[in-house]
Amino acid sequence: MRRFPWSVRLLLVNQFGVNTGFYLLIPYLATHLGDLGLSVAAIGTVLGVRTLSQQGLFLFGGSASDRLGPRRVIVAGCAVRAVGFGLFAAGESVAVLLAASVLSGLAGALFNPAVRAYIAEESEDRAGAFALFNAYGQAGALAGPLLGGLLMLWDFRIAALVAAGIFAALTVAQAVVLPDRPAAPHQGTVLDDWRECLTDRRFLAFTGALTGMFVLQNQLYLVLPLEARRLSGSAFAVAALFLVSTIATLLFQVRITRALDRFARGRAIALGLAVMGLGFVATAVSHVGPLGGITPVLVTALLLSVGVMIAHPFVYELIPAFGRTGLAGTYFGVFYLVSGLAAALGNAAIGWVFGRSAPVASLLCAGIGLGCAAAVAWLHRRGVLTVEREVAR
């Protein structure tokens, strides 16, 4: 961390706090809504509204970061989430719960692109900064559920208030300590910024090739838990998946990024996607092979994590390099919007296939990873990722 300015260090710690507060509450939200007497349809609506409000507003959050400056948007996003989580503690009516979901999702749409845009602009070593960013986020994703589980022994509302308190503390810390980074001058309108980004063929091709990365990451919540239960017959196997993923990231993320720093970015990203895809071969083979217990699915989880560790920092390093100065937030916003839609559609398709044939679903995941790896490698060979040279300089 000492290699980075204080602003980046603060945002790394901020990411730990954001994920701790988020995972402290959200994994237990569906159970709480059921305890309130909501139907399954109503629970799905409340949870879906949160996801939709976040994914659908990423572009607006990115543009706000570019126009207002990332610091203001980061502070506003944390404040909004503090209010949203506070409403979860106070409300029992569907209207209040929906309002809490909308605010919680809006908060993520605000600070996610802004934080990444700020780090990209402040860091000379973008890949190294995003490697640490990923590690801090994983640490928070581990600490959050553990803390939430302890607080749930008392009451859901206590957990919601603690989560809201974490975001309130982050709001104050960033308002006081995070240096302001003025927004770059803009001559056109927000629509002009969107048009410039959405007509950038190189960026759109890169984004399209990367959609599989988010589809496969989401299988940590769909295919892998289902396979873990099938292979082990134990609910604790699901917890083991997340433990393997988190520990691997904390131990190896920075080391892997440093080891691959001299690689061409396109090749490194293609390698990461290929590793992610190949990991699912283990779960596919487990249906016909001699492997027993939870071993195959843990192998898949480990390789999935390794692939993410290889690709993620370099993906985030390249995204702002496609656009001109002052559009990093917009580019991150579009990337997250497309990736979120792809993940939703991919989950639906893979879930449908899994219901008919689990081995075919795993092979489909492997094919997605290898196909996207081939697409990125092709873009690299064709010189489409010319921004790699800018990053290298």
Side-chain angles (χ1 to χ4, degrees):
M1 288 181 65
R2 294 178 181 175
R3 298 183 296 120
F4 300 100
W6 278 104
S7 56
V8 174
R9 299 185 205 181
L10 176 61
L11 292 177
L12 295 177
V13 176
N14 173 77
Q15 183 63 12
F16 171 78
V18 164
N19 276 11
T20 299
F22 181 84
Y23 288 103
L24 183 159
L25 183 70
I26 295 300
Y28 306 100
L29 181 56
T31 302
H32 170 67
L33 297 177
D35 293 339
L36 293 178
L38 270 66
S39 66
V40 176
I43 294 173
T45 300
V46 171
L47 297 179
V49 163
R50 191 206 65 79
T51 302
L52 181 62
S53 62
Q54 178 164 315
Q55 301 291 350
L57 296 175
F58 270 132
L59 182 54
F60 294 93
S63 293
S65 173
D66 292 336
R67 293 281 171 159
L68 302 176
R71 175 183 172 275
R72 296 180 183 178
V73 179
I74 293 168
V75 172
C78 286
V80 170
R81 181 156 284 179
V83 174
F85 280 5
L87 285 178
F88 277 128
E92 295 187 0
S93 69
V94 174
V96 173
L97 293 170
L98 286 174
S101 289
V102 170
L103 290 175
S104 300
L106 171 62
L110 288 173
F111 62 66
N112 276 326
V115 166
R116 287 156 178 79
Y118 196 116
I119 291 176
E121 295 297 332
E122 288 289 308
S123 305
E124 293 184 4
D125 178 13
R126 287 179 179 174
F130 283 119
L132 280 171
F133 187 79
N134 192 26
Y136 270 84
Q138 284 291 332
L142 175 63
L146 295 176
L147 178 58
L150 292 174
L151 293 173
M152 290 298 167
L153 296 175
W154 282 272
D155 186 60
F156 174 86
R157 291 172 179 81
I158 298 296
L161 289 174
V162 170
I166 290 174
F167 280 98
L170 292 175
T171 302
V172 173
Q174 290 165 119
V176 173
V177 181
L178 187 64
D180 194 10
R181 184 177 180 84
H186 283 75
Q187 295 181 347
T189 65
V190 171
L191 291 178
D192 292 330
D193 293 346
W194 293 358
R195 187 179 301 110
E196 181 177 340
C197 182
L198 294 173
T199 55
D200 187 337
R201 294 183 179 180
R202 297 179 307 151
F203 172 68
L204 294 181
F206 178 75
T207 300
L210 264 295
T211 53
M213 182 174 70
F214 288 89
V215 172
L216 295 187
Q217 276 186 270
N218 272 267
Q219 301 321 303
L220 192 60
Y221 307 97
L222 180 61
V223 167
L224 295 188
L226 294 173
E227 290 283 34
R229 290 293 298 271
R230 177 185 67 84
L231 290 167
S232 69
S234 170
F236 293 104
V238 177
L241 291 177
F242 292 95
L243 192 62
V244 165
S245 176
T246 300
I247 291 176
T249 302
L250 293 176
L251 290 177
F252 302 117
Q253 174 66 86
V254 175
R255 291 178 174 87
I256 287 175
T257 302
R258 286 179 177 174
L260 296 176
D261 190 50
R262 295 185 180 181
F263 274 53
R265 292 337 190 204
R267 291 175 180 170
I269 294 168
L271 173 63
L273 290 167
V275 172
M276 292 174 71
L278 289 173
F280 285 89
V281 174
T283 54
V285 172
S286 69
H287 289 263
V288 295
L291 292 176
I294 196 178
T295 301
V297 74
L298 290 180
V299 169
T300 300
L302 178 60
L303 291 178
L304 182 62
S305 299
V306 171
V308 170
M309 285 187 270
I310 293 171
H312 247 188
F314 300 122
V315 170
Y316 288 146
E317 181 186 36
L318 289 184
I319 290 170
F322 282 98
R324 58 179 169 83
T325 300
L327 281 187
T330 299
Y331 273 74
F332 273 113
V334 170
F335 184 81
Y336 270 106
L337 176 61
V338 173
S339 299
L341 293 174
L345 294 174
N347 266 5
I350 292 171
W352 183 84
V353 174
F354 188 91
R356 286 152 181 78
S357 174
V360 173
S362 294
L363 290 175
L364 174 59
C365 291
I368 290 172
L370 294 175
C372 289
V376 172
W378 181 82
L379 292 175
H380 171 75
R381 288 196 303 271
R382 293 293 301 270
V384 175
L385 303 182
T386 53
V387 294
E388 291 178 310
R389 293 195 292 271
E390 297 297 325
V391 170
R393 285 203 289 270

